[in-house]
Amino acid sequence: MDSTNTSESAAFPRQFARTRRFSLGVPRNFTVSPDGQRVLFTRTRGGRDPIGRLWLLADGAERLLADPTALVGGGDEVPEEERLRRERARERSAGVVAYATDRAARLAVFALGGALWAVRTDGGEPFPVSAAGPVVDPRPSPDGRHIAYVTGRSLHVAEVPDTADGSVAGSGDRQLATAEGPEISYGLAEYTAAESMGRLRGHWWSPDGARLLVARVDTMRVHRRWISDPAHPDRPPRAIRYPLTGTDNADVSLWVYGLDGSRTEVAWDRTAYEYLVTVGWDARGPLIGVQSRNQRSLRTLAVDPDTGATSLLDERTDPAWVELVPGAPARTESGALVLTHDVAGTRHLAVGGEVVTPAGLQVREVLSTEGERVYFTASDDPVETHVWCHDPEAGAPVRLSEGPGTHGAVFGGGTAVFHGLTPEGPYAEVRRTGGTAAGSTATGGTAAPSSPTVAARVTALASLVETPVVTPRPRHLVLGKRQLRAVLYLPSWYEPGTGPLPVLLDPYAGPGMQLAVAARGWTACVSQWFAEQGFAVLVADGRGTPGRGPEWEKAVHGDQLTPALEDQVDALHAAAEQVPDLDLTRVAIRGWSFSGFLAAAAVLLRPEVFHVAVAGAAPTDQRLYDTYWKERFLGHPAERPENYERSSLVGRGHLLSRPLLLIHGLADDNVTVANMLRFSAELLAAGRPHTVLPLPGATHAPADDRVNENLLLFQRDFLLDALGAGRNPAGTRPPGPAPVHGA
């Protein structure tokens, strides 16, 4: 649709909120069976349907495997542990949002409303499996005979019932690992692992289904926070264990539990390496990654499951920190260890100790291994991420994905599901390079996987996401001496040379996220919508963002503020040199979380450049953040207090001379609302006017559709009013006269 239609532009905030940032209706969570004949995935029924369902693609057709509305009437009351898991995974839908399968992908299990459900992919209806209590993270054994799950912080194992006679009552449920107290759990990831390491799991089956690796978490020593809802003073506050920077982490150990009742602790130096960052169990045994508190050393250990003894396979060290790369470590069929090596500005793929990727190709994730092949994602241009294959018989790595975008893939039995974002939006398609395809109409047996370079048969998985009513019109730029990657969005109705446009910087600009990419994600749609309101919107990825190699990422070590702010200023000035229509006398900046912090810093420290800011969920005091994430960049606060002072806004409130809007969810358990409240009090004490918008009941990512809709409108009006722009009869706000600067 053409975004020149002002009614469509006005409708965008509601569409953005009702589609949950255009995430509903998108196929995701893919599993490919080892024979390549079945692909499982989740998807809602439409772009505004929030209920996730489990689907199967086989013999060229999609089939609905599990519909929560038919099973429990659409209800999805979940245990607190499951709610937290979903929040850590940034899950925005309900229903079937996660599932797990046995090795053959013949049995899928999932939790729904706290109940345990299973479904067989070769036919039949979903059936309940009796459980001892509300179920969290159910996972079937590789042979499909048992299901491990967590309830009441203890790990249970249930037998999968034989439904051939119509029986659905589970049998043989037993408590395998018992929590010894209210601060102990078995089989769940602790806060630090789930929020900052990307490890959402706490139990892993052995390939033969006879044993499990189980994480034991003791949070007794972890700092306690109390989160209350001031809008409901009748409700008691909620206590959470939050590992505040500089304080104790959870005590995490790893155990091997046998279905025969055996129990063996995995032994490593947990004092020197207190972070359990990765866990896996392949045909050669358990493989774990452990990291030191300062994150400068990462060890890969092989585990003897009989004795619990560990042996060192590899150790990575770095004077700043060792970056965790998703999917690593892994092993090929021959046992070659798959890791990444940071060498001379490039994050390489290393197999068996040998670097196998060229300089300049930045590895992003290890996807899987198949025989001796290794599938991974990497960027040779920061604005794109592609799927690659290392095949020792082929020599140089081969790129498998096509066209601009940010691509990923899941592989199995000569079938691959390619998925991601392109300039046209999200996509998912099944490709077959040999044998019987999951998306083909062929029948019969399967063939050995052929070379990934062979032309593939393709079946698209239907994406039911709504088309944004505002169409992004990105202009990709390379800016300044550091060659900053950026995107400029101009109003669709604007004619170049007809007058200057106020500028809105709309970055993230922090670790772990890129926005200036060749793909239409939800952030691009929001930036274009702000452009339609009368702004020239600039999005720039500076130092500290991923995709440009380890030196670029680690340029913020010890100082997360100065380089990030410098790059935004440089990007603004360089963009104005290329696009004269940018009015540098009227510059706004907005952001959430890290970029909310950056926005507030911009008007505090560079008021001659930035004239108004919106700061959402901003960590104004870095000492209030968690151990793993913040100590990675700034060190231990007792050892490097100057880094925290340098990278915080507290103590600088007296510098404010521009309009500033602070937004914060009062139930935020990631960036506590104390950041906003204390900083607002500091501003008031210094006599610095500002605006505060509290969000009762909202966490770090507000879930209420009405809140998300009106947040965009509130921010727009605040920014434009501060810049002196007025509303025209068509409903947009064109450039106005130069404002009177100052708060």
Side-chain angles (χ1 to χ4, degrees):
M1 300 182 183
D2 193 334
S3 59
T4 57
N5 187 316
T6 57
S7 64
E8 292 175 353
S9 181
F12 176 82
R14 173 161 295 186
Q15 183 192 41
F16 172 74
R18 300 302 191 268
T19 61
R20 310 283 170 87
R21 299 181 177 183
F22 301 101
S23 66
L24 302 180
V26 178
R28 55 200 183 96
N29 301 326
F30 307 101
T31 299
V32 181
S33 63
D35 60 9
Q37 296 192 46
R38 293 173 303 286
V39 173
L40 287 84
F41 60 98
T42 60
R43 185 185 59 205
T44 70
R45 280 194 181 274
R48 299 199 183 195
D49 174 16
I51 306 301
R53 294 163 174 84
L54 182 61
W55 301 81
L56 171 71
L57 176 72
D59 297 326
E62 292 183 10
R63 177 164 64 88
L64 181 61
L65 285 181
D67 184 348
T69 61
L71 301 178
V72 295
D76 193 25
E77 294 296 325
V78 299
E80 177 66 6
E81 293 88 350
E82 178 63 18
R83 184 193 69 79
L84 291 173
R85 272 176 51 83
R86 295 184 182 190
E87 190 168 301
R88 303 291 174 249
R90 310 297 186 255
E91 179 58 58
R92 295 183 176 274
S93 58
V96 182
V97 300
Y99 67 95
T101 72
D102 61 358
R103 181 169 41 235
R106 295 288 184 186
L107 177 75
V109 303
F110 53 92
L112 192 62
L116 177 58
W117 288 83
V119 63
R120 300 189 186 280
T121 61
D122 53 4
E125 296 297 318
F127 54 92
V129 179
S130 64
V135 170
V136 180
D137 196 20
R139 295 182 180 273
S141 58
D143 57 14
R145 297 175 57 191
H146 299 90
I147 302 171
Y149 66 93
V150 179
T151 188
R153 303 181 315 283
S154 296
L155 185 73
H156 287 242
V157 173
E159 291 184 13
V160 177
D162 182 2
T163 59
D165 61 356
S167 171
V168 295
S171 60
D173 187 289
R174 51 185 159 150
Q175 189 166 284
L176 196 66
T178 305
E180 299 92 342
E183 297 293 342
I184 296 173
S185 66
Y186 284 90
L188 297 174
E190 74 277 17
Y191 177 94
T192 300
E195 183 64 43
S196 300
M197 298 180 193
R199 177 172 64 78
L200 297 172
R201 299 178 56 177
H203 60 279
W204 301 262
W205 281 100
S206 65
D208 63 3
R211 293 180 283 192
L212 292 112
L213 278 170
V214 183
R216 180 186 185 272
V217 176
D218 184 346
T219 60
M220 179 64 72
R221 298 180 304 174
V222 178
H223 171 83
R224 181 179 295 183
R225 278 183 176 172
W226 298 90
I227 297 180
S228 62
D229 185 353
H232 295 279
D234 54 311
R235 299 176 183 174
R238 177 169 59 94
I240 66 167
R241 292 293 189 178
Y242 185 93
L244 186 69
T245 180
T247 66
D248 288 333
N249 284 303
D251 180 19
V252 180
S253 56
L254 191 64
W255 298 75
V256 180
Y257 276 84
L259 298 188
D260 60 3
S262 61
R263 179 177 187 258
T264 303
E265 184 175 7
V266 177
W268 78 91
D269 186 349
R270 293 198 291 119
T271 300
Y273 295 86
E274 63 182 86
Y275 290 127
L276 176 66
V277 294
T278 60
V279 181
W281 198 332
D282 61 18
R284 293 180 174 270
L287 192 67
I288 67 173
V290 296
Q291 196 170 29
S292 58
R293 173 76 181 245
N294 63 18
Q295 302 179 50
R296 296 174 189 167
S297 178
L298 174 65
R299 288 186 168 183
T300 300
L301 306 176
V303 179
D304 182 335
D306 296 324
T307 66
T310 57
S311 55
L312 181 65
L313 298 180
D314 182 85
E315 183 168 11
R316 296 270 100 81
T317 60
D318 189 277
W321 71 84
V322 179
E323 185 76 15
L324 301 182
V325 176
R331 281 187 287 215
T332 67
E333 189 173 53
S334 69
L337 195 61
V338 180
L339 294 164
T340 59
H341 286 200
D342 292 353
V343 182
T346 298
R347 179 156 295 134
H348 294 273
L349 183 72
V351 181
E354 178 185 353
V355 168
V356 298
T357 51
L361 182 63
Q362 307 292 350
V363 174
R364 311 290 290 267
E365 179 177 1
V366 176
L367 299 173
S368 62
T369 63
E370 188 177 41
E372 297 308 304
R373 292 179 188 155
V374 180
Y375 297 102
F376 61 99
T377 60
S379 300
D380 52 9
D381 181 335
V383 304
E384 297 185 15
T385 300
H386 284 280
V387 179
W388 295 75
C389 177
H390 160 69
D391 186 338
E393 296 183 0
V398 176
R399 199 181 91 176
L400 305 182
S401 53
E402 302 169 355
T406 55
H407 304 274
V410 178
F411 295 88
T415 293
V417 181
F418 284 78
H419 59 89
L421 292 171
T422 73
E424 290 71 45
Y427 84 100
E429 60 186 30
V430 179
R431 302 182 190 176
R432 181 66 178 176
T433 59
T436 302
S440 74
T441 57
T443 58
T446 61
S450 60
S451 166
T453 60
V454 174
R457 292 173 299 211
V458 177
T459 299
L461 294 175
S463 178
L464 308 179
V465 66
E466 283 193 12
T467 301
V469 296
V470 171
T471 303
R473 301 168 180 267
R475 176 176 172 181
H476 289 271
L477 305 172
V478 178
L479 301 173
K481 62 183 180 181
R482 281 183 286 274
Q483 301 288 284
L484 301 167
R485 275 25 177 215
V487 183
L488 181 66
Y489 300 89
L490 298 176
S492 59
W493 44 261
Y494 185 72
E495 293 293 334
T498 58
L501 287 170
V503 184
L504 171 62
L505 273 67
D506 196 14
Y508 180 74
M513 186 183 299
Q514 287 176 270
L515 298 186
V517 294
R520 194 195 77 194
W522 66 267
T523 58
C525 299
V526 170
S527 292
Q528 184 66 51
W529 179 79
F530 272 101
E532 299 303 326
Q533 314 311 303
F535 287 104
V537 179
L538 181 65
V539 178
D541 289 334
R543 284 168 287 176
T545 57
R548 290 188 65 173
E551 292 179 358
W552 185 263
E553 292 172 351
K554 295 171 184 177
V556 297
H557 187 239
D559 186 352
Q560 283 198 280
L561 175 53
T562 307
L565 185 54
E566 283 180 352
D567 287 346
Q568 293 303 307
V569 174
D570 290 352
L572 172 66
H573 291 155
E577 292 178 0
Q578 295 188 29
V579 185
D581 294 334
L582 274 57
D583 184 355
L584 297 189
T585 69
R586 291 179 295 164
V587 178
I589 182 170
R590 65 179 288 271
W592 197 270
S593 197
F594 182 88
S595 54
F597 153 75
L598 188 60
V603 290
L604 285 176
L605 305 179
R606 298 300 300 271
E608 78 284 5
V609 176
F610 299 97
H611 308 116
V612 58
V614 172
T620 58
D621 186 347
Q622 305 294 356
R623 299 171 188 83
L624 295 178
Y625 211 70
D626 74 69
T627 53
Y628 189 85
W629 192 250
K630 197 50 57 180
E631 291 175 14
R632 169 189 296 186
F633 306 106
L634 302 181
H636 195 288
E639 299 170 358
R640 297 291 184 184
E642 69 279 6
N643 291 347
Y644 288 81
E645 295 173 6
R646 184 186 301 117
S647 301
S648 294
L649 305 184
V650 292
R652 293 167 161 169
H654 63 284
L655 299 175
L656 183 65
S657 60
R658 299 295 190 192
L660 171 63
L661 168 62
L662 300 173
I663 308 172
H664 219 114
L666 298 184
D668 194 331
D669 60 0
N670 182 359
V671 179
T672 174
V673 70
N675 283 274
M676 184 270 284
L677 295 175
R678 294 178 184 180
F679 191 59
S680 175
E682 178 184 328
L683 293 171
L684 184 61
R688 302 300 178 180
H690 60 285
T691 303
V692 172
L693 178 61
L695 305 178
T699 61
H700 194 59
D704 189 291
D705 291 348
R706 294 168 300 175
V707 169
N708 286 320
E709 174 184 348
N710 289 302
L711 266 179
L712 288 178
L713 298 171
F714 193 96
Q715 292 177 70
R716 176 199 65 186
D717 293 347
F718 179 84
L719 293 172
L720 288 169
D721 288 344
L723 293 177
R727 188 178 298 276
N728 71 7
T732 58
R733 293 193 177 206
V740 177
H741 299 312

